[in-house]
Amino acid sequence: MIVWAVISACLLLFPMLMIFIGLYMRRRLAFKDISYFSGYRTRRSTKNKDTWYFANSYCGRLMLYLGIIFLPLSVAAIIALFGLDETTTAIRGALIITGQSLLITIPIIPTEIALRKRFDINGKRLIES
């Protein structure tokens, strides 16, 4: 039962972390100066304040939505693991947690695509038609 409780806490950690990071990026980082310690930091996103604001707001929104989507899926996984023996719970839980840790990187690709569509290589906003 202790293994299940620990795995359950870990399974809830990633969606809650994604929700927190998403809210933080959208509300805090998007309105601050470019930071080299926190936020969505890529060559393209740190070109100027406009790219910084857009990237953090966009990526934050994606993280928030993904966290909201993954939260009930994590609860379903917790319910599915309930009552299994400790070894099975640990192995299946570890596999799910590994998958969740990879899912946290999903917003990078759409954010870079959106930056590329809206800004040129120097960070100047493209004319939208």
Side-chain angles (χ1 to χ4, degrees):
M1 194 63 152
I2 291 174
V3 172
W4 178 81
V6 171
I7 294 293
S8 297
C10 291
L11 285 173
L12 291 175
L13 179 68
F14 280 105
M16 297 301 288
L17 186 64
M18 290 178 79
I19 291 169
F20 174 76
I21 291 171
L23 289 171
Y24 182 74
M25 287 176 72
R26 288 192 68 206
R27 304 258 163 95
R28 300 272 186 211
L29 292 177
F31 297 104
K32 291 190 175 187
D33 291 332
I34 297 171
S35 170
Y36 293 97
F37 300 107
S38 63
Y40 185 84
R41 299 175 316 272
T42 62
R43 271 187 252 149
R44 194 175 292 268
S45 70
T46 57
K47 290 284 183 187
N48 57 46
K49 285 184 109 173
D50 198 21
T51 57
W52 177 255
Y53 171 77
F54 176 81
N56 280 283
S57 180
Y58 191 89
C59 186
R61 184 173 53 245
L62 288 176
M63 291 283 271
L64 176 63
Y65 293 155
L66 286 173
I68 291 170
I69 290 168
F70 292 141
L71 188 59
L73 295 175
S74 294
V75 171
I78 291 168
I79 292 168
L81 293 175
F82 185 76
L84 299 176
D85 64 278
E86 288 186 358
T87 305
T88 305
T89 301
I91 292 170
R92 289 182 184 176
L95 290 172
I96 296 168
I97 291 166
T98 302
Q100 285 182 329
S101 66
L102 297 174
L103 293 175
I104 209 163
T105 63
I106 286 175
I108 295 170
I109 294 169
T111 302
E112 284 301 308
I113 291 170
L115 276 167
R116 214 171 298 131
K117 284 182 180 178
R118 287 170 179 79
F119 299 95
D120 68 9
I121 196 165
N122 297 314
K124 183 180 175 189
R125 192 174 281 273
L126 298 172
I127 299 170
E128 296 181 19
S129 49

